[in-house]
Amino acid sequence: MSTSRSVSPSRRGLLAAGGALGIGALLAACGGDKGSAGANSGAKGGPWSFTDDRRKKVSLKGTPQRIVAFTGTAAALHDFGIDDQIVGVFGPTKLKNGKPDPQAGDLDVDKVTVIGNAYNQFNVEKYAALRPDLLVTNMYEPGALWFVPDDSKDKITALARSVAITSSRVPLARIIERYAELAQALGADLKAKKVTDAKARFEKASEALRKAAKSHPVKVLACSGSPDLFYASNPGINADLMYYKSLGVDLIVPDHLDKGGYFESLSWENADKYKADVLLLDNRTATLQPKDLAAKPSWAKLPAVKAGQITPWSSEPRFSYAGAAPLLESLAKAVETAKKVN
């Protein structure tokens, strides 16, 4: 989902930062033609190629050595062992206090160039100056590059080739596998202990959630709060929710979805439409948290809130075994300790 419900409720492509002076010159300096991506960076090894989830085959003279990626994407690749190749990121990277945003995972945010820390902040000049070989990001809607502004998309994609990995309508585990494939193509060793240990933890956590869901059949609602609306999310389209449901978690399916299909928008007066025992609450920095919601009478009256059965939901998960395992563990614990309140 976007960093702002009010701006992009259906995960539409984001609007442009664009309009910076001197872009034309930078495009020329960096070999503006798509086919010349990476010309300034020095290829490594023989020819490199990868077919992304747009079914586009990206071919370069060598393995990309200068990668710019959406923050969560960079963090996922980092988990698989891609580190020094990541030179820049865009998207939620640093909090106001300077600490890493949760989406940054274990990425060293002080080591990379941040070319945009939030929605609509993609600095095209900074991007061009990095001389990128490859841009990598998620794809929540077919063909749409996540956090690449529509208004400056043509300038951005002219600077380097891009790879997009589907991030919705496919279960979490499959997306993680695709990121593993991309990381391996970029030079990662998937047999490294760090990676195999993370995968083992993911598999163990998946089984723990399966057992918890079977022994404690409680109804769970994935949701998000904004000042004006309460969002009930759809487990039929969100990758993580699809996976949790496949493990047996009784996730509530909203019956009147908004355009795009990700969730149903409810007025706060109707926040009690779905009878949930557990609330899986969106924990992104742009959404309201329990302390923010406490003043809303309709929130306080929800049975799950009264019972204290609220658990954080990373609605834009990090698509790696290391990133997803803690999410599975957290939900398993929440389900296992919850009581039916409806």
Side-chain angles (χ1 to χ4, degrees):
M1 289 182 189
S2 77
T3 55
S4 172
R5 293 278 186 183
S6 61
V7 176
S8 182
S10 60
R11 297 190 192 238
R12 292 187 297 271
L14 302 180
L15 298 176
L21 295 174
I23 292 297
L26 284 165
L27 284 167
C30 293
D33 179 86
K34 289 183 182 180
S36 63
N40 297 329
S41 305
K44 183 178 180 181
W48 182 88
S49 68
F50 184 84
T51 301
D52 74 358
D53 290 344
R54 296 169 296 180
R55 297 182 181 177
K56 287 188 176 181
K57 184 176 181 179
V58 177
S59 299
L60 298 172
K61 292 179 180 179
T63 303
Q65 297 301 300
R66 300 185 64 79
I67 298 168
V68 175
F70 172 67
T71 303
T73 297
L77 291 173
H78 174 82
D79 288 340
F80 283 112
I82 301 301
D83 189 10
D84 292 340
Q85 288 154 270
I86 299 170
V87 296
V89 295
F90 54 95
T93 308
K94 291 184 179 182
L95 301 174
K96 289 179 180 178
N97 60 10
K99 292 184 178 180
D101 186 277
Q103 289 201 56
D106 295 327
L107 193 68
D108 185 345
V109 298
D110 294 320
K111 186 179 172 183
V112 293
T113 298
V114 180
I115 60 174
N117 196 57
Y119 163 81
N120 211 27
Q121 289 184 1
F122 195 113
N123 187 313
V124 186
E125 287 188 336
K126 257 189 184 181
Y127 177 62
L130 285 173
R131 298 174 291 110
D133 294 328
L134 189 70
L135 180 147
V136 187
T137 190
N138 294 331
M139 184 173 67
Y140 285 99
E141 296 297 330
L145 300 177
W146 188 233
F147 263 70
V148 173
D150 283 341
D151 287 358
S152 50
K153 180 179 65 177
D154 291 345
K155 294 174 183 176
I156 292 165
T157 55
L159 286 164
R161 301 296 298 276
S162 61
V163 162
I165 302 295
T166 292
S167 307
S168 65
R169 300 178 179 84
V170 179
L172 176 69
R174 177 55 189 147
I175 300 174
I176 293 174
E177 288 171 4
R178 283 294 282 153
Y179 268 104
E181 291 167 9
L182 174 58
Q184 186 173 41
L186 292 169
D189 178 8
L190 299 187
K191 293 182 180 179
K193 189 174 187 302
K194 170 186 172 181
V195 180
T196 57
D197 283 355
K199 186 175 183 181
R201 182 181 173 186
F202 174 84
E203 291 170 346
K204 183 179 178 181
S206 296
E207 189 56 32
L209 181 54
R210 189 193 302 277
K211 289 180 179 177
K214 187 175 183 179
S215 60
H216 295 79
V218 291
K219 287 192 174 295
V220 179
L221 177 66
C223 56
S224 183
S226 75
D228 300 319
L229 295 169
F230 180 68
Y231 300 90
S233 291
N234 179 16
I237 195 169
N238 289 279
D240 54 342
L241 303 184
M242 287 179 74
Y243 186 62
Y244 302 157
K245 198 167 180 64
S246 76
L247 295 174
V249 177
D250 188 2
L251 278 154
I252 293 170
V253 181
D255 58 24
H256 192 69
L257 297 169
D258 292 12
K259 184 180 178 181
Y262 284 94
F263 47 78
E264 177 178 355
S265 301
L266 297 166
S267 65
W268 276 105
E269 290 76 14
N270 294 313
D272 61 352
K273 177 178 178 179
Y274 299 107
K275 309 303 178 185
D277 301 305
V278 176
L279 295 178
L280 189 57
L281 183 67
D282 191 342
N283 69 349
R284 289 171 303 152
T285 52
T287 63
L288 299 184
Q289 299 309 302
K291 61 181 176 60
D292 308 311
L293 295 166
K296 291 189 176 293
S298 50
W299 168 261
K301 290 178 183 176
L302 294 175
V305 174
K306 287 182 179 179
Q309 295 181 170
I310 308 165
T311 192
W313 174 34
S314 297
S315 64
E316 288 184 47
R318 196 162 92 240
F319 295 115
S320 68
Y321 296 116
L327 308 182
L328 289 158
E329 292 165 352
S330 174
L331 183 55
K333 184 178 179 181
V335 169
E336 196 170 21
T337 57
K339 297 176 182 178
K340 291 194 74 67
V341 293
N342 283 290

